Amino acid sequence: MLKNWAVVPTCLPLIRRRCHACASERFRASGKFRVNAHHKILDAWLLVLCTDCGETAKLAVLERVNVRSVRPELLDRLHDNDPGLTAELLQDPLLQHRNRIDLDWDNAWRLDTGEPDHLDYEVIDVSVRFAARIPVRPERLIAEGCGLSRAEVERLTTEGKLVSAVRLSGKISGDFTFTLKR
Ligand SMILES: [Zn+2]
């Protein structure tokens, strides 16, 4: 029996960054961008708000780039405060690195297992797809998706009844597959 599961975002992740006003370590996206053009040089920021005090911080999206080198479609989306663009940019490793942030995905995703009918089969192969790069332990997903405790997942792994090419106890954020025999 082959099953397809998906790890899907349910809302935007929080942003790990220290607030200079109150020492909180989480910001949330404001949904707004700021674009500043001076002659032919363009800067753009994603505005984020401290979850505790509401202080605004700016995450650099474009830094001193020539306006002609920016795709018109991207400029339109920045000017329109496109919500999809916020989600895309937050997950962009380049933007994360440039702004020295990373993301807090706690309570911002769910596991979609489709129809709950697989428990009757002796062997199931499950393909897990990540709709965003959300760091999760496969163990936790398998426990949740198969209705098992973490201890049962560990036992099945030890007994060789739960097999995967990835390490099930480590965090991953990309697609993987596993086989469960009962
Ligand atoms: Zn603050």
Side-chain angles (χ1 to χ4, degrees), residues 18-24 26-27 49-55:
R18 182 176 288 276
C19 176
H20 295 300
C22 79
S24 154
R26 295 290 185 282
F27 281 74
L49 306 171
C50 172
T51 54
D52 278 2
C53 74
E55 176 84 356

Side-chain angles (χ1 to χ4, degrees), residues 87-174:
E88 283 172 35
L89 287 172
L90 283 179
Q91 290 175 48
D92 178 1
L94 206 67
L95 180 131
Q96 292 180 12
H97 181 74
R98 179 188 291 148
N99 292 283
R100 282 184 244 109
I101 58 158
D102 60 49
L103 303 179
D104 175 358
W105 281 99
D106 284 0
N107 305 312
W109 60 273
R110 67 183 166 80
L111 176 65
D112 184 353
T113 57
E115 300 296 311
D117 61 355
H118 60 265
L119 296 173
D120 302 337
Y121 296 91
E122 284 197 350
V123 179
I124 58 166
D125 288 300
V126 180
S127 166
V128 185
R129 186 181 60 82
F130 283 66
R133 295 189 59 77
I134 301 171
V136 197
R137 289 181 211 288
E139 270 182 353
R140 177 179 169 187
L141 296 177
I142 294 165
E144 185 182 328
C146 296
L148 301 168
S149 69
R150 292 279 196 104
E152 284 174 306
V153 170
E154 278 175 31
R155 182 178 54 77
L156 289 165
T157 307
T158 310
E159 291 173 356
K161 292 177 176 167
L162 178 56
V163 183
S164 177
V166 301
R167 202 162 62 85
L168 298 176
S169 58
K171 281 197 177 178
I172 61 168
S173 54

